[in-house]
Amino acid sequence: HTAVKITTERGGFRSVSKLGFQLYQKAEDFLTHFADLIVANSEAGKRYLISRGINPARIKVIYNGINLERLIPDQAMINEIRHNFGLSINGTVVGMTASFSPDKDHATFIQGAKIIHQAMPQTKFALLGDGPLRANIENLVRQSGLEQSFAFFGNQKDIASYLACYDISCLCADSSEGCSNVILESMALEKPVVATNGGGNSEIVEHANTGFLVPMQDPEALADAVLTCLRQPDRARKMGQRARETILTRFSLDRMVSDYEQLYEQTIRLKGIG
């Protein structure tokens, strides 16, 4: 017998229509009703749970926290990465970190990159990650004529030095995002973030203060926000500094651990255990 049962929801919404996923979700929803508490890592995730019939009183929101000790870039490695991928040491790089899957919408990033390239041809673009759509995404880059401007970093365990290569960090994902770790990590590294205004992204990024929020599937809006950062480097630098302050005050690892400890203790007391 398990005394306390807690489940989690890490996304903000899921629009997968495949039968297998739908069956899995029905089973997940059924079992979730037996949990004492459900933890979402964003308010968007909480709304998603409510839409699935979960009692709001049993839902607790605890945002992700970032371990800054594991997010320390190495300048020599940054220089090596830039050299290996044909990126000049001081050249401008706009990057996106995400699995190569449909919900991350790399197509919008590539279309936005084409607009950015037309305005500022020296800009380079980097994709960090891998996945089932890799061949499709490489083909989209070729079709856009930007093959010489794109670097594919692949999957990397220690991403700090790769993220540090970016001047601006983008995320074009649809509303499935909960509390995106890559947005948190980018902000911790003082990178202004341009992210789609879906899922929990707006709970992390403060529009025009720590980054920009743009509509989903809108490459023009994405490009406009990125170009604003590139053309106003002082403003972008200050946005990055404020972004790191946000991480220190709201998204630290210590805060997350403390929130979970309090949740466990409260739940145990309510159950009359110990």
Side-chain angles (χ1 to χ4, degrees):
H1 176 68
T2 304
V4 177
K5 296 178 283 295
I6 298 175
T7 64
T8 65
E9 173 55 58
R10 317 307 291 171
F13 183 74
R14 298 179 198 172
S15 57
V16 181
S17 59
K18 291 180 180 177
L19 179 61
F21 177 81
Q22 290 180 343
L23 293 172
Y24 172 84
Q25 188 159 71
K26 284 185 181 299
E28 185 181 68
D29 288 348
F30 174 76
L31 293 171
T32 298
H33 284 283
F34 293 99
D36 296 287
L37 276 173
I38 305 95
V39 178
N41 67 354
S42 65
E43 291 292 337
K46 179 177 179 177
R47 291 192 295 272
Y48 175 48
L49 286 167
I50 293 170
S51 76
R52 287 161 50 191
I54 306 301
N55 182 351
R58 294 167 56 227
I59 304 170
K60 170 76 173 176
V61 174
I62 296 180
Y63 289 105
N64 295 349
I66 291 297
N67 183 355
L68 295 176
E69 292 179 6
R70 297 183 61 188
L71 201 68
I72 301 173
D74 177 77
Q75 189 58 52
M77 189 174 176
I78 295 169
N79 294 343
E80 184 180 337
I81 293 165
R82 282 179 169 263
H83 174 75
N84 289 345
F85 287 95
L87 307 170
S88 62
I89 295 299
N90 297 312
T92 303
V93 178
V94 178
M96 177 162 146
T97 305
S99 61
F100 289 12
S101 54
D103 58 311
K104 302 304 182 184
D105 193 14
H106 287 76
T108 291
F109 180 78
I110 295 164
Q111 291 162 15
K114 191 168 184 178
I115 299 169
I116 296 163
H117 178 77
Q118 288 168 350
M120 301 183 75
Q122 299 306 311
T123 306
K124 301 292 185 182
F125 305 92
L127 294 176
L128 175 56
D130 212 333
L133 295 185
R134 170 101 185 215
N136 303 51
I137 291 165
E138 288 176 342
N139 192 42
L140 286 176
V141 170
R142 278 192 295 272
Q143 290 174 358
S144 71
L146 295 177
E147 205 170 355
Q148 299 304 312
S149 298
F150 261 81
F152 284 78
F153 287 161
N155 272 338
Q156 303 295 335
K157 274 189 175 181
D158 182 12
I159 68 166
S161 296
Y162 287 86
L163 281 178
C165 290
Y166 299 173
D167 292 278
I168 300 162
S169 182
C170 298
L171 187 64
C172 298
D174 65 18
S175 57
S176 65
E177 293 297 316
C179 182
S180 167
N181 280 329
V182 74
I183 290 181
L184 298 182
E185 289 161 347
S186 298
M187 291 172 66
L189 291 172
E190 299 190 8
K191 305 300 176 184
V193 171
V194 176
T196 43
N197 192 7
N201 294 350
S202 62
E203 300 169 44
I204 308 172
V205 178
E206 186 180 347
H207 181 65
N209 188 46
T210 59
F212 288 104
L213 295 166
V214 298
M216 288 178 278
Q217 299 180 342
D218 190 338
E220 290 82 9
L222 177 78
D224 184 59
V226 170
L227 287 169
T228 297
C229 292
L230 295 180
R231 288 167 174 157
Q232 301 178 40
D234 285 344
R235 181 184 181 187
R237 180 176 51 78
K238 288 174 183 174
M239 290 173 92
Q241 290 171 347
R242 289 192 293 267
R244 182 173 172 86
E245 285 300 316
T246 298
I247 299 303
L248 295 174
T249 55
R250 292 183 55 213
F251 298 100
S252 71
L253 181 65
D254 287 345
R255 189 273 313 152
M256 182 183 72
V257 170
S258 174
D259 285 353
Y260 273 105
E261 285 177 343
Q262 289 178 43
L263 178 70
Y264 296 156
E265 289 169 359
Q266 290 169 4
T267 308
I268 288 170
R269 280 201 303 271
L270 286 171
K271 295 278 285 189
I273 304 166

